[in-house]
Structure formats: C-alpha cells, structure tokens
Amino acid sequence: MNKKPLAGLAALLPLASCAPKAPQQPNIVFFLVDDFGWVDSSVQYGDELYPNNLRFNTPNMQRLSERSTVFGNAYACAVSTPTRTSIMTGMNAAHTRITNWTSAVKDTPSDATGGGFWMAEHKGSGDAMEGDVLSRPDWNMNGISPVPGVPYTQYANSMVQYLKDAGYFTVHVGKAHWAAAGTPGVNAYNHGFCVNIAGTMAGMPRDYSGLQNYGNTKERWNDFAVQNLVEYYGTQTHLTEALTREAFKALDYPISHKQPFYLYLASYATHTPIQPDERFAQKYRDAGMDEGQAAYASLVEGVDASLGQVLDFLEEKGIADNTVVIFMTDNGGNSENKQKGGVLHTQNKPLREGKGSCYEGGIRVPLMIYYPGKTKVGKCNVPVICEDMFPTILDIAGVRGYETVQELDGQSILPLVTGVGEGPDPERPLVFHYPHKWKPYDLKDIDFLSAVRVGDWKLVYRIAEGVLELYNLKEDIGEEHDVAAENPDIVRRLADTLSERLSRWNAPMPVVVQTGNPAPLPNEI
Amino acid sequence: MNKKPLAGLAALLPLASCAPKAPQQPNIVFFLVDDFGWVDSSVQYGDELYPNNLRFNTPNMQRLSERSTVFGNAYACAVSTPTRTSIMTGMNAAHTRITNWTSAVKDTPSDATGGGFWMAEHKGSGDAMEGDVLSRPDWNMNGISPVPGVPYTQYANSMVQYLKDAGYFTVHVGKAHWAAAGTPGVNAYNHGFCVNIAGTMAGMPRDYSGLQNYGNTKERWNDFAVQNLVEYYGTQTHLTEALTREAFKALDYPISHKQPFYLYLASYATHTPIQPDERFAQKYRDAGMDEGQAAYASLVEGVDASLGQVLDFLEEKGIADNTVVIFMTDNGGNSENKQKGGVLHTQNKPLREGKGSCYEGGIRVPLMIYYPGKTKVGKCNVPVICEDMFPTILDIAGVRGYETVQELDGQSILPLVTGVGEGPDPERPLVFHYPHKWKPYDLKDIDFLSAVRVGDWKLVYRIAEGVLELYNLKEDIGEEHDVAAENPDIVRRLADTLSERLSRWNAPMPVVVQTGNPAPLPNEI
C-alpha cells in the first residue's frame, strides 16, 4: 500500500467521478511510440546529432521538441509490456515482476528458453532445454490486473482510473499490451478508460495495411490482428493513419462538452513487421537506403505525420493552449531484426545494442513534454524512467492525495518541465531488469541482463556469465569501456543498490539449471 | 431533404453538443434482439398466448412487459440490415434501397441469385444463373453512409448523431450490421456513437463461446469474429453475458457525470449459429425439446437474463426512474434453419413463415416501451414499424426541429406510449419489401416478396409469380386464407398504394431474366 500522501497532502480517497472538476485541468495527450529508438529522428536527445539521426525525416517531432522539455536521459524498460505496465502502475518492472512481454495467450511464458511462446501452438513452457545454463524465472507473465487474485499478475490501481475519477474523459487508441487475453487486465475499460480503440493483448500488428485488413484475413490466426478498424478494410489506409483518425472521433465528446481528456495514443508503429508505409518510403529508397531501412524510416515518418496531425487537431479545436503533450517510446529501437535492414546491432549507435537489452540502446528512449505556458524549453539531463509517468501525469492533472494498493516507485518529473518545485534526485538509482532469454537464438548483449544507473555510473549484471560491468555514461555513452576493475568500490556500491532493490521487490530471477536455484543477486557473486 | 419541421416547430440546425442539456432528458436503453420471434417468449403480444409461447422461460421480458406499452402489431423488415438502417435513418427499407443484409465484404451482393455472397470467396455477382426467372435488383448493398458519394449506400443523418448533439452519451454494444467493411457506414463512431463495443460489419457471431474466443481462432476467417472481448477469451463467458458486462462499463462515465445516455444494446443472440447457452440449456432438454430447440431456447433465456441485468443495473444505479427502455427485435424468428430443431416453417405459428419473409412471421416483431411515470401500461394494437424508432427516440430525448438530408418515413409513436398527443394513423400504409432470393435454395414464401399493410388488410405481392394475395389480419393472423378474389377493390387500392411507394422511393426491383427489365410493380400486373 502506498499510504504516503503525495505532494504533502493528506491521503484522501479517490475523488468521485461526479465531483466538480477544477477548471484548470489540462488535457493530456500521451503519444507513445513503439520500438522507436533514441536516434530514430531528427530530434537531438544527446549532446550532439549522430549519423543515425540523419536517416530520418521527422519535422513534427522537431516542431514539438522546439517547445518542449527534451529529456536526454529518459529510460524505459527493455521491452514493451514492462514499460506499458510501469506507466499504468507507477512501479518498476522488477517490482511488478512483469519483466517480459505478455503473450497473447494466458499462462504462456514468452520466454525463449525452452521454446516458450515461440514453440508450435504457443504451448512452450519456457523451461530450459538441453544445453541451457539458465531457465526462465517465475514472473507475472499475465501482466497487470485491476482486480486481485488473478494468477501471474500484478494487482494494481491504474493511473488512468484516477484520471477518470477526477473527471477526465479517458481514451485509449492503439497498442495496449498490458496483459494476456482471458484476464481482466487486457481490457482497457477495466483500467479506467472510457473508450478503447484497438487495444488488445497484441504486442504487434499482424499487418499495417488496410488492404490486408490489418491482419484480419483468412487463415491467419488473428491474435495480433488489429480490431476496431473495419472502416478501412480493403483501403490503402495505413494503420498509423487509421488510429489517428479514430482518436479524433473519440475526442469529439469531451471537446464538445468542455471536459478534460486524456488521450493515450499508442501507435503500433514502429514495431515489426517492418512493412513500408508507401506514403513515405520511396524517398528513402531514392536516398540509397536498403528496403528494410527505407521501410523502417517510412514507418517512423508515418508516426511523425500522426504527431503532426495531433498537434494540428489541437490547434484547430482551440485547445492546444490547454493540452499537455507527452512524447515517449516504450523501449529502445530494435537492433537485432533483419527486417530493418542495415547492419545488425548498430542501429542505435552511439548507444550499445537495442530492444531487449539493458545496455543503453535497449532502454534509453526519446521523451519530450510540452506543457503550454509552463515549459522550461530545452534539454534536461536528469535521469528519468517510465514509472515516473504515473505520478507525473496525475501531477499534471492536479490529482493529489490518492492511495494505491501498490507501492509506487516513480516520482513526478513535472518540476523538471516547469521549473517549479523539486524534481527527482539526479543521483537516484534507476533499475533495469531483463532476466529472460528474448529470442530462440542467443543474444549475449540482450539475454539475462540486469542494470542500475546512479548518476553517471551504470552497473550491468550479466546474469548468465556472472559478470559485473561498470560504465561511466558521461564519458562513455556507448558502454565500450568496462571500468569495473578500476572502480571496485563503485561496483560494490551499485551492486548492493541493485541487489537491495531486486531483493526487496522479490524480482524474478532466472533459474540456474544445474542447481535449480535462482541466479545469485549481483552482490552475491 | 426533410425540411418539414417536426412536432410543429420551426426548423433549426442541430444543437451544438456543448449546449446546456435540459435536465429532464431521460436516459434511453434500446434493447434490440436478433432473429427473435414474436412468439419466442412468455410475453403475450397477440390476442392470446400461443403454444409456441410456452417453450420459453423469459421472466425478465415478462417483468418489463408488466410496466410497458406492449405493441401487438409492431413491424420490422424481413432481415437484419434493413431494420437496423431504418432505425438509424427513419426511412423505410424500400426507400433506403437497403432491402437485404449487407455482406461483410464491400460491393458484394448478399443475394443468393447467382451465388452472390454465398459463392466461394464471396465473389458472386448475385446475377441470375441458368433457370432463374429473376435476377437480383440494383440495391444499396453497402448499407448506410454518414457521408455522401459512397457507392451503393444511402447517405443519411443518423438518429444517434442528433442524440449526441443534444448532449447524450451514446453507447453501441453488440451487433451493428449497417454497412459493409471498408465503408464509413460500418463505423459506429461515424454515426454519432461515443463508444462502440463489438459493432462491425458482422451480421452474426462466428461463435457465442468465450472458450472459442467468439470466433477469433486459428484458420477461421474472422469477418464474423466478435471484436473487443479479449478479456473473456478462453473463459466460459457467453457472448450475451460478455456484451452486457461491457455495456455497464461503458455507462460508468455518463452515470458518474450525470449526463444522459443512449445505450443501444444489440445482442447477437438469437441469430445462428444456434449453439446452446449451457447456463440454461439443460432444462429445455429435460423438458423433451430436441437439441436445436433446447439450444435456441437457451439463447433466448440468455437474452432474457441480459435484459434482467440491465433492469437491475438501472435500479442499482438509481436511474431506473429516468430511463426509458425499448425492447424490440430486428426481424421475425428464423423458420427455415435446421439448427433450431423442431419442424421447419412452424416456429412462428400462428404467424406464417419467418425471417426473410414478408408474411407476418418474418416481419411482425416483439416491441415494448417502458417510459417511467408516463407509460400507458398494456396492449397497443396500432400498427407501428421500425423506421418509427428514429422520430420516437428523438421525441423521447426532447430533440426537436432537426433537419435531415433524408426524407423521413417514420412517425413518433411516443403518443401511443404516453397517451399524450397524437400517434400514427392506424390506417397508414406500412410497406415491406424483400426483392431478393435469400438462400441458395428456393424459399417460395420468402424469396421475392413485397407487401403493404393498411389497417387490418394486407396485400402480399409474390413478385416471382406475379401474384397478389390479400389477407385480413384481424380475422386471419396466419395468412391462410387469400381473399383477393373476393375483394378486387381492396386489392387494387392496396396495389396502388404499394406501387406508389415503391415507385416514389425508386425501390429496388428484381430483374426479369427473360426481358432484362425490372419486375413490374404490383399495379402493373
């Protein structure tokens, strides 16, 4: 139970929905992109523009960045569901114990150990196969739940429910991916959303094209087929475009009724399948990119166009001045998928590796926040993390003194945007934990990693190998120079910090096949 | 254009959504059942209880009927889409030219002539095959459209849009079936709904069982798979139950905000597939029914349970006294489907035939309306028809003086419920028009029929045979005794009336294969 009153106010029960709303409640748009990397746009999140930044045409992200607080050290989890559930719960993923993506099918581990989700009929156990050193951990593979007692879930109060209780009209559009089918957590209406368009158990779209009915076609299992878009079947409407249009329809009611809204617009792009968005792909081909690179860049530009449409829409409706826009990604860019073209394991350079990894390429993500009339425009380098979104969004909405069944780990970063009040300590530890095998093939810089960042220092625990690495991110953003040997005290301090968190949170740990015991904590090796 | 001001008021533009709402606006629940026949419950719509009424256990329909105006001569169209689009547009189906059900696939006639929808890959033309006397008409096979210019659609303003514009929170749950996929009319959000759960192009559910994911399973084309119910996948939750639960979630916002709502709860039951609802089926088996009969009765009882949950919900929320409940069916009970068990063509006795037919079994439907504190409880035998629902519902909502791009055919029947004001003339002509071949096999009392009722008289035009039949429904509800020969003047008068309407509305007429011309109007034979 989180009983500590936030913002210094006495704890109160959630406000009844019919309570009169404060007139100053701003609208909030949370624009969450999928698998979209830190250098996958023309926006400069780092200290410089990197060569990878030059691949993309993203004028609308640029436009938003020029009025926003741009976070250069923003973090998410290594994969989708943990980030999305951390946003909803305010908890670190090691704490929700939702450390991997949730399968479409209930009670089915997505771990690649032993096949897991990847085996035929999705009936794999995730247990180790011959030759594996580690087996999958016991984790909350069914995701979050708004009610207690559902196996393999984290029971938690949703941030969105508090918004709704405070009078917000709450709209979900796009990818949800909080929970497996057949559980209450998979249903956006159970988390306080008033409208849900296309949010299901799916972590990816079966198809981006309206011509393919977004995957709703014969003889394809439609767990990942996108729902609620029948209007566009058989048309050339790209999924990103269709979702954007539907979002605007859903906002008609609150805008007409002058009620504050929360729009969670979570594009399926730029997740695999990396299919070209033909509205934009040709110019990237013409620029000499290979087909995968061009397809990926076109998906990015589709997202950029969607963001532009949102910004235009807010202006046309006369509500741009009272609408906070948050732009973020759920994890780092995918760097191990051949569909994206280019050279594997380089797409997030200067960051090391990509999605799935606890190296920076997997977890450092774009984040910008625009609060009209209150934004400290420019770069902020204080490290922040996805679970901060829960208290931050409620802070923006003016929701105070709420109680939650779960213990919150995030902190409001609103002071970093407005310059008013005290933001998170730049030295607070941020924990990343991916105790899983991601794919049916080995990915040494992705599988079974855990990490903590404290200030400029970052400890990476390679669980399978029992190795601790130390990096100074200020000097070595690419994590190329392990300085653990030279800094044993810092290693020990960070290992203790990480161990204390993992232990306190009862974080999932992979099982050592040889002993049947959980892998040791970092300060136990 | 319908420019005649309704209710004697000057024509006004639709009220802006943000206009202050009248405090007396009642909530409205439109509970629309599918393929549910006139004698498929214990409610007495006729002058007596018939043997068929005794097959069903429907205490909640009974409960509602005891406080309602029960319409004994209420009509819908012979099949689903025409009724549903008449409700939305206020037009007769012969006038919308949507005289048959819309296929899932755009530009695909559902006519059984020439294969139509029924052919492999749904690519049939609907044109005549060898031996056919009639070929399919040119009709609006893509359904309704909220925008002009979409091929094969009726462009119309939706009744729901006016409700929304008047401040109603409008919720769609269940079967929509107004239009084909790939057209704007298929999207409930385009018709003024604030929330849409499960409404698509589907005219039936692929499966009623959560254990079968409502049809969202591998290797089944999911045009009829039910969307938005992922929470219940792999559980025993019946579709009717799942939809009811989702409806309550959707109503949370307007109830909390004390805003009037319109809930259109359109169950997929009791359409085929006639699968047993195992919550209820056994007692019907134990009573000696065959499996089909028991399965059908269990689907009916599931709907009855849903209605009871709705009534309970309204009471629990303290809004029952301000909520109008309308209970209706989209067409007559299916009498030609072996899945239902029993003896074909008898299930609607004393009415002749069933779904698809312009004989009474296909078009006479249950209708009851409960307006708290204003209802004239008991039977009303004034003939009313589905297009009356448009002006009736707006009348209930207090929406006046609206303009529509379409010419309205329906009239408000609210005076028949409240006893205040003047209701429709009992002698006004009601037109039924089904110029189609329904199934790939011949159904002589269903295919290619047109009819008009005026007072107690009913003329049936058997288009394929060029025959006019006349029945006196007061004396011969079963349409067993054709009295055309004895009443040539009445035949002529009704034939003229029907012809005038069909001609004025440019109603679709089947094509005579031999001549290539449209079939003659009834007064031309």
Side-chain angles (χ1 to χ4, degrees), chain A residues 436-439 441-449:
Chain A
H436 305 277
K437 186 170 192 290
W438 190 33
K439 291 289 174 77
Y441 36 92
D442 288 338
L443 291 163
K444 289 294 181 200
D445 281 358
I446 290 181
D447 298 339
F448 301 117
L449 299 183

Side-chain angles (χ1 to χ4, degrees), chain A residues 17-18 164 169 182 187 190 194 201 216 218 221-222 227-228 230-231 233 246 249 252-253 256 259, chain B residues 17-18 164 169 182 187 190 194 201 216 218 221-222 227-228 230-231 233 246 249 252-253 256 259:
Chain A
S17 297
C18 49
K164 187 181 178 198
F169 190 87
N187 188 342
N190 294 340
C194 299
M201 62 286 189
N216 294 280
K218 222 171 192 170
W221 187 34
N222 60 10
Q227 302 191 348
N228 300 121
V230 292
E231 176 178 353
Y233 284 12
E246 295 307 294
K249 294 175 192 172
D252 183 56
Y253 186 85
S256 296
Q259 294 179 336
Chain B
S17 298
C18 51
K164 187 181 178 198
F169 190 86
N187 188 341
N190 294 340
C194 298
M201 63 285 190
N216 294 281
K218 224 172 190 169
W221 188 32
N222 58 12
Q227 302 192 349
N228 301 121
V230 293
E231 176 177 354
Y233 285 11
E246 294 306 294
K249 293 174 192 173
D252 184 56
Y253 187 85
S256 295
Q259 294 180 335

Side-chain angles (χ1 to χ4, degrees), chain A residues 392-409:
Chain A
T392 300
I393 289 171
L394 293 182
D395 205 1
I396 292 168
V399 179
R400 307 261 187 275
Y402 48 85
E403 280 187 14
T404 55
V405 295
Q406 72 270 29
E407 183 190 17
L408 299 184
D409 303 312

Side-chain angles (χ1 to χ4, degrees), chain A residues 257, chain B residues 1-3 6 12-17 19 25 28 87-90 146 155-170 190-193 260 262 390-391 393-395 397-408:
Chain A
H257 285 75
Chain B
M1 287 277 278
N2 186 62
K3 291 230 177 187
L6 299 190
L12 295 170
L13 289 173
L15 294 168
S17 298
Q25 283 177 314
I28 303 169
I87 290 168
M88 292 286 273
T89 63
Y155 166 43
N157 296 123
S158 137
M159 174 261 290
V160 180
Q161 186 65 52
Y162 293 99
L163 290 174
K164 187 181 178 198
D165 289 344
Y168 274 77
F169 190 86
T170 49
N190 294 340
H191 293 295
F193 280 103
Y262 172 68
F390 182 119
I393 289 171
L394 293 182
D395 204 4
V399 180
R400 307 261 188 274
Y402 47 85
E403 279 187 16
T404 55
V405 295
Q406 72 271 27
E407 183 191 17
L408 300 184

